[in-house]
Amino acid sequence: MGGCFYHENPETLSLETEVIAARPGAVALARSPFYPGGGGQLPDRGVLRWSGGEAAVTGIEDEGTRLWHLLDSPAEPAGIVEAAVDPVFRGTMCELHTDLHILNALVYQAFSGALVTGAQMAADGTARVDFDLPDADNARLRALEPAINDAIRQDLPVRAAHLAMAIAEAEPGLLRSRSVAPPPNADGTVRIVEIVGLDRQACGGTHLASTGRSRPVRILKIDNKGRHFRRVRIALQGMGPT
């Protein structure tokens, strides 16, 4: 039920595929390992290679019926190509996304089901998530850092399944965003990501296979965004500002 190539084959970062449409500087592919971005996660980066040339993939444009892979040159490749995702960039995004789920779970548990109002991951190994937390004590939020890293050290399995949207909407805690939910698949299901023993929530992004694959995390800063909202900024160990 449901699913995309990058979800069903998360370890496959390179494959041969066919160009099904092209325009200067962009191609649509029969199959693609590239994650197109969404939910605060950046689209994959990588390279497209073909007989006689190659170009960097710098972004993904979702046309609704097609995903266009944007190239750093005006090339219009045709036929069979190799599509290869940058493994370091994908790995960083997976670490940050899984770590944000850990943080989200801890905030949800400690602050009476507080909902997310926005999130964004960055290429420099930092990320931020915004919560609807009226009058929250910022010191309590900062004190969650050891618990985040404890969940990483426990190396909890991360797995995904698909549920009918109506079932997901009826189960408290599966839809954590105040304003948006992951779009349903064509079959009417929604993808649920579970950190075993800690968290279950709807999500369309890419994740680690287990929490222990992440570097430790530090909380960089907590910003007050009006009376209701708190922004928590995190960074992977060795990345972000020093």
Side-chain angles (χ1 to χ4, degrees):
M1 297 175 69
C4 302
F5 184 90
Y6 46 81
H7 285 153
E8 296 168 350
N9 307 273
E11 304 300 323
T12 302
L13 299 184
S14 177
L15 59 82
E16 286 194 345
T17 184
E18 185 177 1
V19 174
I20 59 173
R23 65 183 192 230
V27 297
L29 304 174
R31 294 191 307 161
S32 174
F34 282 79
Y35 174 67
Q41 181 176 335
L42 298 174
D44 280 332
R45 301 172 183 175
V47 65
L48 204 69
R49 300 185 181 95
W50 61 93
S51 177
E54 69 174 57
V57 176
T58 59
I60 306 290
E61 181 181 290
D62 188 349
E63 197 183 62
T65 57
R66 276 181 184 152
L67 289 177
W68 289 94
H69 298 64
L70 307 181
L71 309 178
D72 70 344
S73 79
E76 291 185 65
I80 302 300
V81 298
E82 178 193 6
V85 171
D86 179 337
V88 174
F89 185 81
R90 164 72 74 84
T92 297
M93 291 296 106
C94 288
E95 284 185 79
L96 288 172
H97 209 153
T98 299
D99 294 335
L100 286 183
H101 275 227
I102 294 171
L103 172 59
N104 187 337
L106 295 171
V107 170
Y108 189 80
Q109 294 164 14
F111 292 88
S112 303
L115 296 179
V116 171
T117 61
Q120 186 63 57
M121 288 151 253
D124 65 356
T126 66
R128 57 89 172 163
V129 59
D130 299 342
F131 295 100
D132 186 351
L133 283 170
D135 305 316
D137 182 344
N138 288 356
R140 281 184 65 202
L141 285 167
R142 186 172 290 281
L144 293 174
E145 182 179 303
I148 298 171
N149 288 308
D150 184 57
I152 291 171
R153 283 191 295 270
Q154 289 180 55
D155 197 21
L156 303 172
V158 180
R159 60 194 185 194
H162 290 84
L163 285 179
M165 178 59 87
I167 295 175
E169 289 174 337
E171 183 173 330
L174 286 190
L175 304 181
R176 297 279 180 82
S177 173
R178 177 162 292 286
S179 55
V180 297
N185 299 305
D187 61 4
T189 63
V190 65
R191 183 169 178 261
I192 306 298
V193 172
E194 178 181 11
I195 300 175
V196 176
L198 178 66
D199 188 53
R200 289 177 76 230
Q201 61 176 291
C203 180
T206 63
H207 287 272
L208 301 172
S210 65
T211 61
R213 297 192 183 191
S214 174
R215 284 163 279 190
V217 164
R218 57 199 171 101
I219 292 179
L220 296 175
K221 188 179 181 183
I222 298 168
D223 295 319
N224 294 349
K225 294 295 180 179
R227 188 178 71 83
H228 272 267
F229 305 112
R230 297 293 182 271
R231 174 169 293 174
V232 183
R233 301 178 184 273
I234 66 169
L236 299 172
Q237 184 181 68
M239 301 190 77
T242 57

